[in-house]
Amino acid sequence: MSAQRSIVIGGGAFAGLALALALRQGLGRDIPVIVADPALATRPSRDPRATAIVAACRRLFEAIGVWGEVADNAQPILDMVITDSKLEDATRPVFLTFAGHVEPGEPFAHMVENRHLIDALTRHAEACGVDLRATAVASYDQHADGIDVTLADGSVVGAALLIAADGARSKLRERAGIATHGWD
């Protein structure tokens, strides 16, 4: 088992890796930070999707030192029109639009291929001493002194904090009994 002061993050996509870097920068190297996600076994990332990164998130990625690595592969989004019309419809009512800059010369968002951002986050996390484990959080047991986190590879980590960053259908969130409300 690791020290009880460990922080375990279940999920190694944007949220989990960015949080790990921010924690490492804020807390220093004395507190072990572990990111557990089976997707970390695939390097470089092969995630074929792209994501719109709003200005606030881009600023976060700048602060943790990764934006410079992906900026050349990012496309600024200068205008967005939202409708539920089909392309062939004669009229296309607009429900919502976004346009302009947050600050002069700063677009409100950028489109980035996930693989570029995940690879940059992973490289920086490794360089900062974040313990990246290509396995999932299988279960956890809370007790007065912390949390024993069992990983799918059988290892157990004694932690002070377990963070669920395992996506919209988070198994960790469900197990913790944290409710969500949503609709189709």
Side-chain angles (χ1 to χ4, degrees):
M1 281 203 203
S2 299
Q4 277 300 120
R5 291 180 30 167
S6 294
I7 297 172
V8 177
I9 301 171
F14 301 154
L17 290 167
L19 178 59
L21 283 166
L23 287 169
R24 173 59 70 230
Q25 288 178 6
L27 299 174
R29 290 185 172 262
D30 292 340
I31 297 175
V33 177
I34 300 163
V35 177
D37 190 320
L40 293 170
T42 305
R43 294 196 202 165
S45 173
R46 291 188 214 125
D47 189 335
R49 299 171 296 168
T51 301
I53 304 296
V54 297
C57 290
R58 184 194 45 74
R59 289 176 181 171
L60 168 70
F61 292 138
E62 282 179 349
I64 61 175
V66 299
W67 186 253
E69 285 189 40
V70 298
D72 289 344
N73 293 311
Q75 177 65 42
I77 300 173
L78 304 174
D79 187 36
M80 184 183 298
V81 177
I82 300 172
T83 180
D84 69 350
S85 304
K86 296 181 176 110
L87 288 175
E88 64 272 5
D89 288 350
T91 58
R92 300 180 74 201
V94 173
F95 293 118
L96 185 61
T97 63
F98 299 94
H101 293 89
V102 175
E103 297 285 334
E106 181 182 13
F108 69 88
H110 283 81
M111 198 65 152
V112 181
E113 289 181 66
N114 290 5
R115 64 188 174 97
H116 295 303
L117 191 50
I118 290 170
D119 289 344
L121 287 162
T122 302
R123 278 191 297 277
H124 279 263
E126 285 179 321
C128 291
V130 174
D131 184 358
L132 300 178
R133 301 202 188 177
T135 188
V137 173
S139 64
Y140 63 90
D141 293 305
Q142 293 176 264
H143 48 82
D145 296 332
I147 304 165
D148 290 333
V149 180
T150 302
L151 303 177
D153 66 5
S155 61
V156 178
V157 178
L161 179 63
L162 170 61
I163 299 167
D166 54 336
R169 294 182 189 94
S170 171
K171 298 294 183 197
L172 294 173
R173 177 193 44 77
E174 287 176 13
R175 180 158 187 268
I178 300 170
T180 62
H181 302 280
W183 53 90
D184 289 339

